[in-house]
Amino acid sequence: MDCIFCKIANGEIPTDFVYQDEDVAVFRDVDPQAPTHLLVIPKRHIASSADVTDPSVWSVLVGCAVEVARKLGLEKDGYRMVINTGTQGGQTVPHLHLHLLSGRNLGWPPG
Ligand code: 5GP
Ligand code: ZN
């Protein structure tokens, strides 16, 4: 399958991981929208949040993001977790990913 995030997860595209284990990988977004902009992905291909069938995916993904945020000290000033899903949700890469954004005041509501 020609999936850019699978290639990152399996090492086909060399990447500096902020964190990884057998289930998840965390790396910097190529087009950062905040001083810290990380992507947290499951290593196994899942196209979007709408395709998650095993609810433990959520605890692994969100738990990892919260732990990375803690390790990087992001919780002091705060951060945002975002999962875009589908066309109107703004998803452009069809491999489930959680955005972890921090380091500036983030507007609300989103555009
Ligand atoms: P989405 O719009 O699907 O929620 O987010 C996809 C994100 O992946 C975007 O923020 C985009 O900048 C990022 N992205 C796309 N291709 C690559 C890539 O090859 N490497 C990295 N590190 N980020 C990517
Ligand atoms: Zn994939």
Side-chain angles (χ1 to χ4, degrees):
M1 189 196 306
D2 196 25
C3 171
I4 191 100
F5 285 181
C6 279
K7 287 180 180 168
I8 287 173
N10 69 23
E12 238 179 284
I13 296 175
T15 301
D16 264 343
F17 293 106
V18 174
Y19 173 81
Q20 66 166 323
D21 60 28
E22 62 181 10
D23 297 318
V24 293
V26 184
F27 52 94
R28 296 192 182 277
D29 196 292
V30 75
D31 181 21
Q33 301 302 311
T36 300
H37 185 172
L38 304 178
L39 299 171
V40 183
I41 68 168
K43 285 195 168 172
R44 184 168 65 88
H45 183 84
I46 302 171
S48 86
S49 60
D51 297 290
V52 173
T53 52
D54 176 0
S56 73
V57 167
W58 296 122
S59 54
V60 169
L61 216 61
V62 176
C64 174
V66 169
E67 193 53 38
V68 166
R70 184 174 296 135
K71 280 194 183 129
L72 296 179
L74 306 183
E75 61 194 15
K76 179 176 165 288
D77 292 321
Y79 57 85
R80 184 175 294 173
M81 295 186 281
V82 175
I83 300 175
N84 297 324
T85 304
T87 309
Q88 289 198 343
Q91 184 176 7
T92 58
V93 175
H95 179 129
L96 176 63
H97 50 283
L98 180 156
H99 297 259
L100 177 60
L101 298 143
S102 185
R104 68 172 173 85
N105 288 315
L106 298 163
W108 191 264

